[in-house]
Each structure stands twice: as structure tokens, then as C-alpha cells.
Amino acid sequence: MIWEALGAVIVGFAIALSARRWLPERFPDRVLTLATGPVAALLGALLTRSILGPGHPVQVMVAAFAVGAALLSVLVRPPRRRPRRPAAPLKGHRTAC
């Protein structure tokens, strides 16, 4: 049990680090990202272990990875876009008034 929990925390931390490394502009708060990954993975592991019971370490780690990634995806911010300029009016086009 303790090894599965420790493994889930390590998996969650690895997911959070890789998310911060590959998409730093989409995860602006570093502390929140690095805290959410391990906690979410641990939650997924404990939930899966309580459902399946002991003796399923591979399934527990897969669930830890999936829940960790899913809850980290909630933190993703949309990409920043450049401000758009208003479109120029079309010549000869009538607008409804």
C-alpha cells in the first residue's frame, strides 16, 4: 500500500513537471501545478485501490496517471492571443440600421 501511494505521488509529480516544462505559458502558477499533480495522482490511486482491492498495482498506477493528468488539465489556461484589429469596412456594403 505504501509503495503504491509513493509511486502515485512520484507519477503525479512527474506529470506536473512535464506539464510545466512543455507548456509553461499555459500553466502560469508553478506552485499550484506542482501541488495538484501529486495530490490528484494520489487521489486516483487511492480511489482505484479502494475499488479494486489489493493486488492490482499496474491498474492503480494507470489510474493515478489518468486522474493526475485529468485534474491537471483543469488548470490549463487558454493561449494568449494578440489583440485583433477591427476589420476594415467593405466598400459598397450596406449595414443594417
Side-chain angles (χ1 to χ4, degrees), residues 12-39 72 75-77:
F13 194 65
I15 294 169
L17 281 176
S18 62
R20 273 296 290 171
R21 182 176 179 138
W22 287 329
L23 299 169
E25 69 279 354
R26 304 287 296 271
F27 291 96
D29 191 5
R30 180 176 184 250
V31 174
L32 181 64
T33 304
L34 294 179
T36 301
V39 171
L72 271 176
L75 299 177
V76 175
R77 302 274 190 251

Side-chain angles (χ1 to χ4, degrees), residues 1-94:
M1 170 70 183
I2 192 73
W3 294 111
E4 288 177 354
L6 184 61
V9 169
I10 291 171
V11 164
F13 194 65
I15 294 169
L17 281 176
S18 62
R20 273 296 290 171
R21 182 176 179 138
W22 287 329
L23 299 169
E25 69 279 354
R26 304 287 296 271
F27 291 96
D29 191 5
R30 180 176 184 250
V31 174
L32 181 64
T33 304
L34 294 179
T36 301
V39 171
L42 183 62
L43 175 71
L46 293 177
L47 184 65
T48 305
R49 182 173 167 88
S50 68
I51 292 171
L52 296 178
H56 297 41
V58 175
Q59 290 86 350
V60 169
M61 287 302 124
V62 169
F65 181 83
V67 172
L71 287 181
L72 271 176
S73 72
V74 173
L75 299 177
V76 175
R77 302 274 190 251
R80 292 185 179 159
R81 297 182 186 176
R82 288 184 268 164
R84 293 177 29 170
R85 289 185 256 160
L90 299 174
K91 290 185 179 182
H93 182 67
R94 297 175 139 200

